[in-house]
């Protein structure tokens, strides 16, 4: 595993262009399996998780052509279903959580789909029930091999549209069921559907391929099944999680940073939540963000009744859980106190011990809640040696290290590379002192 060596305490300056959205890319790439025609996708992020999925698609028989660093064509006209039964697939499929979303397209087009229990971040239990209950509602038969942790669904006579009320507004679950339903007979209605911008993007892409999806952007989606889908061209949105990471980094290091082409209308409450921490966010040139140097720090704004501010995650249009780690680390240098409430995953706050070692004032109340008492930059965090437990904790620890006094070492940086494209090179361009070690 690689290592970052970071000399902290330096202010940064410059312009960054956000990468394509990881969570959208994983959905969009799986959707290429729904047609035998060519699909062109641009703004694909060059990150480990996405590259793993592209390799998996190639092994499944999808013809992949790289036009430039972030643009590819895909054509699934010679899919090898035998690969799904191979030991190689069992190994490759379980290394990536996003691989679960190949099941819906395969089931819809070929009548069967298999997947080993997928991997991903170790942030707590991540159930798959919503996915498979949706497939069963569409008429598929479900089987599960407990010894090998292998899931399968089959519908040799095709799928039939149905009404379903999801037990949770799962983004990947909604995407998977949606992709299965576009080729089903009749109409499918999904209530309590996820409605994140990336899910909306998937719906727009499918409609451009010939699907008939209405209710896009709401939690009530209707899909009228069609017999066949065609090719299309699609551009992935900028990554809102990475944009939030750059905002937090700029504030924590008291740096002046411009973030270009952020797709403001798809950021939701993210700018508002950062402003509650006292961070100044300026919209410039219609679609850019400017973060001025916070030389006087930033002050947390309490609730209107004077009680302590709570920042909590919620399904869209609420605050994405992927950014709570960023808010937590940025709060360590704020003026005031804040309660971070991570509702969804019970292990995502288990990196705060490393921040406490660096001198942060944090009380971990339970697996879901932490109280942060900010230093107001009167005391710098201390450099230390640590390891990245998951993508979002990893970038948060990197932000802490860049603001700390002294030289820090972060191991297991493959976790950061899973979600952030060439993060060290982009930080170097802003003036950071960071070195990648083997």
């Amino acid at each position: 595993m690689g290592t970052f060596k970071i000399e902290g305490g330096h202010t940064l300056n410059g312009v960054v262009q956000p990468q394509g959205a990881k969570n959208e890319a994983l959905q969009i790439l799986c959707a290429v399996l729904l047609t035998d025609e060519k699909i062109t996708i641009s703004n694909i992020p060059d990150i480990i998780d996405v590259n793993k999925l592209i390799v998996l698609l190639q092994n499944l028989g999808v013809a992949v052509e790289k036009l430039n660093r972030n643009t590819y064509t895909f054509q699934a006209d010679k899919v090898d279903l035998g690969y799904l039964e191979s030991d190689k697939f069992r190994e490759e499929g379980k290394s990536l959580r996003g691989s679960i979303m190949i099941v819906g397209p395969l089931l819809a087009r070929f009548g069967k789909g298999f997947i080993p229990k997928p991997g991903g971040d170790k942030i707590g239990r991540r159930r798959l029930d919503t996915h498979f209950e949706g497939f069963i509602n569409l008429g598929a038969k479900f089987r599960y091999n407990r010894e090998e942790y292998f899931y399968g669904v089959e519908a040799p006579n095709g799928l039939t549209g149905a009404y379903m009320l999801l037990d949770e507004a799962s983004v990947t679950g909604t995407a998977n069921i949606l992709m299965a339903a576009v080729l089903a007979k009749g109409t499918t209605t999904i209530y309590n559907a996820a409605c994140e911008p990336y899910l909306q993007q998937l719906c727009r892409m499918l409609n451009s391929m010939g699907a008939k999806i209405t209710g896009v952007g709401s939690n009530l989606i209707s899909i009228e099944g069609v017999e066949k889908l065609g090719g299309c061209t699609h551009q992935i949105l900028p990554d809102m999680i990475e944009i939030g990471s750059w905002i937090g980094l700029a504030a924590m290091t008291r740096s002046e940073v411009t973030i270009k082409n952020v797709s403001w209308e798809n950021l939701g409450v993210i700018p508002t939540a950062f402003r509650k921490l006292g961070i100044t966010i300026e919209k410039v040139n219609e679609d850019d963000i400017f973060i001025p140097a916070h030389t006087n720090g930033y002050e947390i704004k309490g609730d209107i009744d004077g009680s302590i501010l709570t920042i909590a995650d919620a399904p869209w249009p609420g605050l994405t859980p992927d950014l709570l780690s960023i808010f937590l680390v940025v709060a360590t240098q704020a003026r005031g106190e804040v309660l971070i409430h991570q509702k969804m995953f019970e292990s995502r706050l288990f990196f705060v011990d490393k921040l406490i070692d660096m001198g942060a004032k944090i009380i971990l109340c339970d697996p879901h809640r932490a109280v942060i008492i900010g230093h107001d930059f009167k005391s710098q965090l201390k450099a230390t040696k640590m390891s990245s437990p998951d993508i979002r904790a990893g970038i948060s620890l990197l932000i802490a290290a860049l603001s700390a006094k002294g030289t820090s070492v972060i191991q297991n940086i493959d976790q950061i590379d899973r979600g952030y494209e060439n993060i060290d090179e982009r930080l170097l361009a802003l003036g950071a002192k960071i070195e990648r070690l083997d």
Side-chain angles (χ1 to χ4, degrees), residues 340-357:
I340 300 293
H341 190 175
Q342 164 58 266
K343 299 174 184 175
M344 192 171 295
F345 302 112
E346 64 270 14
S347 302
R348 204 162 218 169
L349 298 183
F350 286 176
F351 72 100
V352 301
D353 59 322
K354 301 170 179 64
L355 296 177
I356 292 170
D357 287 345

Side-chain angles (χ1 to χ4, degrees), residues 34 77 107 123 129 152 161 164 177 199 232 308 350 386-387 394 432 434:
L34 286 165
D77 56 344
L107 177 64
I123 55 178
D129 299 52
M164 60 188 81
I177 297 165
L199 202 285
C232 72
I308 187 171
F350 286 176
M386 46 199 162
S387 180
I434 180 170

Side-chain angles (χ1 to χ4, degrees), residues 74-90:
F74 301 86
Q75 189 161 7
D77 56 344
K78 296 177 182 177
V79 174
D80 175 18
L81 296 178
Y83 169 65
L84 299 175
E85 306 278 3
S86 69
D87 291 338
K88 186 176 182 181
F89 173 64
R90 291 170 191 262

Side-chain angles (χ1 to χ4, degrees), residues 81 84 103-114 139-141 143 152-159 180 183:
L81 296 178
L84 299 175
V103 177
L106 290 172
L107 177 64
R109 187 172 161 207
F110 300 104
K112 60 181 179 180
F114 309 106
K141 293 183 179 179
R143 59 188 178 91
V153 279
E154 296 180 349
N157 299 318
L159 300 171
L183 294 178

Side-chain angles (χ1 to χ4, degrees), residues 187-223:
T187 300
T188 299
T189 302
I190 307 174
Y191 196 21
N192 194 30
C195 52
E196 272 78 356
Y198 306 143
L199 202 285
Q200 297 174 39
Q201 283 281 95
L202 174 64
C203 291
R204 294 186 187 106
M205 174 183 171
L206 294 173
N207 280 341
S208 71
M209 295 168 67
K212 296 180 180 179
I213 304 169
T214 57
V216 178
S218 76
N219 67 348
L220 181 62
I221 299 176
S222 180
I223 308 106

